[in-house]
Amino acid sequence: MKIGTHEVWPPVVLAPMAGITNIGFRRLCREQGGGMFVSEMITSRALVERVPLTFQMIRFGEGETPRSIQLYGVDPVVIGKAARMVAEEGLADHIDLNFGCPVPKVTRRGGGSALPYKRNLLRAILRAAVVNAGALPVTMKMRKGIDDDHLTYLEAGRIAAEEGVAAVALHARTARQHYGGAADWDAIRRLKEAVTEIPVLGNGDIWSADDALRMVAETGCDGVVVGRGCLGRPWLFRDLDAAFRGSPERARPALGEVGDMMLRHAELLCEVVGSERHGLADFRKHVGWYLKGFTVGAETRRALTSVVTLAEMAERLGELDREQPWPDEADGPRGKSGERDKVALPHGWLDDPDDTTVPGADAEDATSGG
C-alpha cells in the first residue's frame, strides 16, 4: 500500500488512540510487526500555539519511519498553519486528519464526526492541509456520518480525492453508534467502489489477523486500520504481518509470555514519562486488556494496578501461572463500547450542509477517537 511516497507493508495502520499510542506503545507494536504507526491525536491549534505538552506527544523514536502524526481541527486557517509547521520544521513524514471523533463535547461544537456534514468546510480544511503540507502526504479518517439519516462518507471520500488527499480511512460506524453495534463493512466496500483514485482503508471490528484478511476480501479495501483490537494484544501486529504474507501462523501466548509483554510495555512507558511511578500509573488501564480471558484472581489484578516500581511489578507478574494456555474467550471486543441515543450537535447544525461557518475554538477539544 502506498501512502504518498511511503510504501506501507503490511498494509496495516495503528489507529491514533488518546492516552494509548504514545511513543512507548508504538515502539512495542513495531517490535512485533510492520505497518504505519500513528501518534496520539493532537489539536492543530495547540501545535500552532506551541503548547509544550503537544510537542512531547509528537516525539518519535529512533528509527521510527514514517513518522506519522494525526491532527485534529475545525478551522482551515489553523489547520493550514499546522500543516506548514509540520512540513517546514520536519516534525513528521505524514499527516492524518481526524474527522471521526464521536465524543459529545466535540460534536456538540461542530467538530469531529459532525464536521463532514458541512461539505464545503470539509473541503476548505482538506485543501488548506494539502497545500501547506507540501510534499508530505495528507490522509483523513472519518466515520459513515452523524447517523443513518445523515451519512456523509461517500461525498467526503470524493471530496478528499479531489483535494489531493493521499488516502482515506473509514471507521464503518456512525457517530450515533459510538463504539457499539457492528461495523458496517459494506460501507467500506461502497466507499472503495466510489473512490478509486486513492487507497481506501477499512476500520472497525478487527480483533484478529483473520478479521483483517476477511475485511480486505469482502470489501476490496487497500489496507486496514487497527484500534481497539490491539489493546492488550500488541502481538496482533505479528499476526497481521504473517497473515498478509500468507502464513497461517498466529500468536497464542501462554500467560507467562503475556506477563513478559506487560513488563516490556510498562518499562517503555516508564522510559517515556521518565518516572516509574507515573509510568506504572499510566499502565494500569492496560492490565485488564492483557489479562482478558485468563484465570487471574481479583487480588492479583488489584496488585498489578497498584505497583509503584518495576521491580514490584516483575515480582507480581512472577506469581502468575506461566503455563496457563491462551483461552478461547481471550479474543473479541475490548475498550469502549455502547451506542448513543442521539448525537449532540450545535443548534441548527443540520439546516445547511453548505454553510462554511467555522466552529469556535472550543470545538478543538483534545479528545481522540473515531
Side-chain angles (χ1 to χ4, degrees), residues 59-365:
R59 288 181 298 162
F60 293 96
E62 184 178 350
E64 188 171 355
T65 183
R67 298 168 303 153
S68 182
I69 185 174
Q70 189 184 68
L71 292 177
Y72 165 71
V74 297
D75 186 329
V77 173
V78 178
I79 282 280
K81 290 179 179 178
R84 184 174 291 273
M85 273 184 66
V86 173
E88 292 185 347
E89 298 180 24
L91 301 179
D93 306 310
H94 159 242
I95 297 171
D96 186 51
L97 298 178
N98 183 311
F99 297 103
C101 185
V103 176
K105 62 182 177 180
V106 171
T107 59
R108 74 163 49 98
R109 295 179 174 91
S113 51
L115 193 142
Y117 184 76
K118 303 293 188 179
R119 52 200 174 204
N120 290 336
L121 178 59
L122 174 69
R123 185 183 294 276
I125 290 173
L126 296 176
R127 181 175 297 175
V130 171
V131 168
N132 285 281
L136 300 187
V138 175
T139 60
M140 67 177 283
K141 185 171 181 235
M142 60 182 175
R143 286 188 171 231
K144 288 171 58 182
I146 293 172
D147 53 34
D148 287 338
D149 294 323
H150 302 90
L151 299 177
T152 55
Y153 69 102
L154 293 178
E155 184 172 23
R158 286 190 287 266
I159 290 171
E162 291 166 3
E163 294 301 329
V165 169
V168 293
L170 176 64
H171 182 165
R173 286 181 170 89
T174 62
R176 183 182 181 279
Q177 280 184 277
H178 206 62
Y179 294 92
D184 176 15
W185 288 7
D186 276 347
I188 300 171
R189 176 183 56 77
R190 289 189 290 270
L191 180 62
K192 176 60 184 173
E193 291 171 351
V195 179
T196 58
E197 308 96 316
I198 57 177
V200 170
L201 289 76
N203 176 223
D205 294 349
I206 295 178
W207 307 107
S208 69
D210 295 300
D211 289 335
L213 293 183
R214 187 165 54 87
M215 176 184 279
V216 171
E218 292 181 7
T219 70
C221 66
D222 300 283
V224 299
V225 179
V226 177
R228 293 177 297 155
C230 67
L231 296 178
R233 305 287 186 271
W235 53 83
L236 176 57
F237 290 94
R238 190 192 323 163
D239 283 354
L240 288 162
D241 192 273
F244 279 104
R245 285 188 289 105
S247 169
E249 180 182 348
R250 302 290 183 268
R252 292 293 182 268
L255 185 54
E257 186 179 344
V258 172
D260 294 342
M261 188 71 74
M262 293 172 71
L263 185 59
R264 172 63 175 158
H265 190 170
E267 290 171 343
L268 289 169
L269 286 180
C270 292
E271 183 180 319
V272 168
V273 302
S275 160
E276 287 193 15
R277 178 179 294 273
H278 291 104
L280 290 167
D282 188 49
F283 183 74
R284 289 172 186 165
K285 58 179 171 280
H286 296 274
V287 171
W289 295 330
Y290 274 106
L291 298 180
K292 180 185 175 180
F294 287 99
T295 301
V296 178
E299 178 57 35
T300 300
R301 290 173 184 265
R302 280 194 296 269
L304 285 169
T305 58
S306 60
V307 296
V308 294
T309 68
L310 287 169
E312 185 182 357
M313 183 175 186
E315 182 179 351
R316 290 295 187 178
L317 289 170
E319 298 170 0
L320 299 175
D321 175 10
R322 291 189 61 86
E323 302 305 316
Q324 187 178 149
W326 178 262
D328 293 337
E329 58 269 29
D331 290 322
R334 293 175 301 284
K336 309 171 194 175
S337 62
E339 299 191 12
R340 304 289 185 182
D341 292 332
K342 63 179 182 178
V343 180
L345 297 169
H347 178 71
W349 186 255
L350 299 176
D351 293 348
D352 183 6
D354 293 316
D355 180 23
T356 57
T357 302
V358 175
D362 56 359
E364 291 200 20
D365 184 273

